Amino acid sequence: MRTASIKRKTKETDIEVAVNLDGTGVSKISTGIGFFDHMLDLLARHSRIDITVKADGDLHVDHHHTTEDVGIALGQAVKQALGNMAGITRYASIHMPMDETLSRVVIDISGRPVLVFKVAFPRDKVGQFDTELVREWFNAFTINAGVTLHVETLYGENSHHIAESCFKGLARALRAAVAIDPRAADEVPSTKGQLGG
């Protein structure tokens, strides 16, 4: 089983994350941020990755530290669960519609962390959640998972829908990219013989 657990504690947050890449999309999410919980639940459901997140953060300050640190821990958990990455499909490209919004998410589980994030939000907040934190989460996840990730909203008008299309797009891209390719189940998908570096 490709599983991992991460604990991260700082003066700002106390976070426990667990993932099972070969799960069924079960989620147990508790960050204290309603909209963020919703996005992480979507991520689990549509990636078919079981995800548990328990986060206690300094929400009296704002949502930034909790959102970013969950991205860090979740990225680390995914990277750890992937192990040497033998047999993974590695690449995936998804166009994700959400009503009037369409986003494109492209991933390479490369071991080289790069985020290209071309997403504009019409509003500063969805509920109490700052929309600028969507990019912060994607950046933290990308760096710590060690993936190359391109996220672009091609068009959209509703900030909730835009954020949701990005998270769902990542979910479906992850689902495809972490899947084991039966034709290359024991091979690392790189001419170098390893991923990263």
Side-chain angles (χ1 to χ4, degrees):
M1 296 286 283
R2 296 181 297 168
T3 62
S5 298
I6 296 291
K7 291 185 178 181
R8 174 183 170 84
K9 187 170 184 177
T10 71
K11 291 181 179 179
E12 298 165 343
T13 61
D14 186 355
I15 295 169
E16 296 181 18
V17 168
V19 300
N20 177 1
L21 300 184
D22 302 304
T24 59
V26 174
S27 64
K28 295 178 182 177
I29 311 294
S30 177
T31 68
I33 307 168
F35 181 75
F36 187 39
D37 286 359
H38 178 44
M39 294 299 104
L40 295 176
D41 182 52
L42 294 172
L43 180 65
R45 182 72 52 87
H46 294 284
S47 67
R48 304 296 287 177
I49 297 172
D50 294 344
I51 299 176
T52 299
V53 176
K54 184 178 184 299
D56 293 313
D58 55 357
L59 301 183
H60 62 284
V61 176
D62 65 9
H63 296 164
H64 189 285
H65 298 142
T66 300
T67 303
E68 184 176 34
D69 287 5
V70 167
I72 290 170
L74 193 55
Q76 289 173 346
V78 168
K79 184 175 184 178
Q80 183 176 312
L82 281 166
N84 71 355
M85 303 183 228
I88 64 168
T89 301
R90 180 176 169 178
Y91 300 100
S93 177
I94 299 292
H95 282 83
M96 180 56 64
M98 179 64 201
D99 294 351
E100 86 298 341
T101 297
L102 182 66
S103 294
R104 176 173 55 217
V105 179
V106 184
I107 194 168
D108 174 11
I109 301 177
S110 60
R112 298 185 305 276
V114 177
L115 175 66
V116 177
F117 193 80
K118 296 184 177 182
V119 180
F121 292 95
R123 290 191 291 150
D124 293 336
K125 288 183 178 289
V126 176
Q128 299 301 310
F129 187 79
D130 294 322
T131 51
E132 68 180 10
L133 295 181
V134 175
R135 188 191 190 287
E136 293 301 317
W137 183 88
F138 271 84
N139 189 58
F141 175 83
T142 298
I143 290 169
N144 289 276
V147 300
T148 298
L149 186 62
H150 294 248
V151 182
E152 182 176 13
T153 296
L154 304 178
Y155 45 83
E157 300 173 6
N158 180 288
S159 292
H160 186 133
H161 294 167
I162 291 169
E164 189 163 328
S165 70
C166 293
F167 275 91
K168 282 182 174 177
L170 174 61
R172 293 300 297 218
L174 273 174
R175 179 175 175 173
V178 304
I180 300 298
D181 180 348
R183 295 182 299 168
D186 297 318
E187 300 173 16
V188 174
S190 172
T191 55
K192 297 177 183 177
Q194 67 179 41
L195 288 168

